[in-house]
C-alpha cells in the first residue's frame, strides 16, 4: 500500500487505533498518534470547548471569521475539537465544502451536508490534499499543541489557493494588567499571583517534552506569517478579563464567561504538563487551589490578550512587500 493510500486509510477508518481512548487522572485522551496532544477529549472538555466558542464570539462581536472571503469553495478547520466552528460556518457558505480535522473523532454525526470531519494530524509532512486547494484555513486555540506553529503556517500556505486566507484565533495565556493591581512577575520566585506561575510552568514543560511544545504562540503568529510568505497580514488584539472585575457591562459579562472557562479547563490543562515536570497529582491539586483563587480574585484586574491574525497567500507574480 502506498504512503498516500495508507494515510488515507488511517485517517478515515475508526478502528481501535483511533477510538480506544486512554484514561488518565480521570480524564479521557486521544488515541490516534497518542501523546501528541496533551489535553483531554472527553465530554466535559467538549462542552467546555463549545462554551469557549461562545465566549470568543462575544469577544469578536459575533463574528466567526474576519478574512474577506468571496464565494469560497473549500474551507479547512485544523484542530476542530467539538466541530462547532465548521457547523456554524456551514449556513454562511452553503456552497462551500467545510472540513474539520482533529486527532479524535468526537464531533457530532448529524451535521450540515457541506460539513465533513476527518481524523488527521496536521503536523504530518504529507496532508490529505494537494497544494493550492483551500480558500480558507482556520485554526483556533492551538497553544501547547504543536512543536512548531510556524511550520504549520508554512504547510498551510502551500495548501491554500493563491489569494486564499489563513486565519488564526489564539489566546496568549500570559496574564497582563494595566493598573498595577497584579503582583509583579518575578522569575526568581513564585509570585503572589499563582496564575502567572501556572503560565510559566506550562512554558517550561513545553520546552522539556519530546517533541517540544510551544505554549505561547499568539503574539508571534503575525511575524511568522510574514516570514513564511503571507501578505496582507492583519493582527487584531482584544483584551479578555479573567473574571468579572471590569465596571463596563459588556466586559464584565465577557469576564464572567472567561472565569468559568478557566475554572472548567484548568485541571485538564494542567495534569500532563505538570506531570512532565515531575509533579505528583496531589501536588498539582494543591497548586491548582491557589491558581483558582488567583483567577477569581476581583482585586487583581488581570486579562488575557486574544489574537485574531489573518494572512493572504500571494497571487502569481505578486511581489512580497
Amino acid at each position: 500500500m502506498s504512503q498516500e493510500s495508507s494515510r488515507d486509510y488511517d485517517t478515515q477508518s475508526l478502528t481501535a487505533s483511533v477510538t480506544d481512548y486512554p484514561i488518565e487522572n480521570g480524564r479521557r485522551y486521544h488515541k490516534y498518534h497518542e501523546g501528541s496532544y496533551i489535553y483531554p477529549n472527553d465530554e466535559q472538555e467538549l462542552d467546555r470547548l463549545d462554551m469557549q466558542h461562545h465566549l470568543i464570539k462575544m469577544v469578536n462581536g459575533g463574528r466567526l471569521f474576519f478574512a474577506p472571503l468571496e464565494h469560497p469553495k473549500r474551507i479547512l478547520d485544523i484542530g476542530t475539537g467539538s466541530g462547532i466552528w465548521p457547523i456554524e460556518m456551514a449556513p454562511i457558505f452553503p456552497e462551500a465544502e467545510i472540513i474539520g480535522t482533529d486527532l479524535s473523532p468526537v464531533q457530532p454525526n448529524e451535521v450540515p451536508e457541506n460539513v465533513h470531519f476527518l481524523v488527521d494530524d496536521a503536523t504530518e509532512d504529507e496532508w490529505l490534499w494537494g497544494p493550492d486547494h483551500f480558500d480558507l484555513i482556520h485554526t483556533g486555540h492551538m497553544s501547547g499543541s504543536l512543536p512548531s506553529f510556524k511550520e504549520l503556517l508554512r504547510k498551510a500556505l502551500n495548501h491554500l489557493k493563491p489569494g486564499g486566507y489563513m486565519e488564526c484565533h489564539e489566546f496568549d495565556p500570559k496574564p497582563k494588567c494595566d493598573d498595577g493591581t497584579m503582583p509583579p512577575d518575578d522569575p526568581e520566585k513564585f509570585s503572589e499571583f499563582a496564575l502567572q506561575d501556572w503560565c510559566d510552568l506550562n512554558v517550561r514543560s513545553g520546552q522539556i517534552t519530546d517533541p517540544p511544545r510551544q505554549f505561547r504562540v499568539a503574539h508571534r503568529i503575525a511575524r511568522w506569517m510574514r516570514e513564511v510568505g503571507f501578505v496582507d497580514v492583519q493582527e487584531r488584539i482584544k483584551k479578555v478579563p479573567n473574571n468579572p472585575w471590569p465596571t463596563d457591562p459588556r466586559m464584565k459579562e465577557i469576564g464572567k464567561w472567561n472565569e468559568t472557562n478557566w475554572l472548567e479547563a484548568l485541571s485538564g490543562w494542567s495534569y500532563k504538563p505538570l506531570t512532565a515536570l515531575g509533579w505528583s497529582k496531589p501536588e498539582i491539586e494543591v497548586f491548582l487551589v491557589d491558581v483558582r483563587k488567583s483567577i477569581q480574585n476581583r482585586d487583581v484586574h488581570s486579562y488575557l490578550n486574544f489574537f485574531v491574525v489573518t494572512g493572504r497567500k500571494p497571487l502569481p507574480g505578486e511581489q512580497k512587500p
Side-chain angles (χ1 to χ4, degrees), residues 204-235:
R204 193 186 314 165
S205 176
Q207 293 168 345
I208 67 167
T209 57
D210 184 21
R213 303 180 190 285
Q214 294 178 315
F215 189 66
R216 294 188 65 202
V217 298
H219 59 303
R220 295 183 281 179
I221 292 174
R223 173 168 58 85
W224 288 335
M225 275 193 181
R226 295 185 183 100
E227 288 174 354
V228 303
F230 284 95
V231 297
D232 291 347
V233 176
Q234 296 188 29
E235 180 182 69

Side-chain angles (χ1 to χ4, degrees), residues 185-213:
D185 187 11
D186 186 347
E188 298 299 321
K189 61 182 181 179
F190 272 176
S191 70
E192 299 173 28
F193 194 58
L195 185 58
Q196 293 181 68
D197 303 332
W198 181 87
C199 180
D200 293 342
L201 288 164
N202 275 272
V203 171
R204 193 186 314 165
S205 176
Q207 293 168 345
I208 67 167
T209 57
D210 184 21
R213 303 180 190 285

Side-chain angles (χ1 to χ4, degrees), residues 146-161:
L146 300 168
S148 173
F149 201 99
K150 184 176 181 180
E151 185 60 26
L152 178 68
L153 295 172
R154 194 187 313 277
K155 292 173 181 175
L157 182 69
N158 180 51
H159 290 85
L160 281 168
K161 295 177 182 177

Side-chain angles (χ1 to χ4, degrees), residues 175-177 179-183 192-196 241-246 255 259 262-263 289-303:
K176 298 183 179 299
C177 178
D179 63 3
T181 57
M182 188 170 75
E192 299 173 28
F193 194 58
L195 185 58
Q196 293 181 68
N242 284 320
N243 66 49
W245 62 259
E259 179 184 57
W262 266 116
L263 297 176
V289 170
D290 288 334
V291 179
R292 292 185 184 97
K293 287 179 180 177
S294 65
I295 291 168
Q296 296 174 286
N297 187 347
R298 290 355 182 217
D299 294 329
V300 175
H301 298 165
S302 70
Y303 63 89

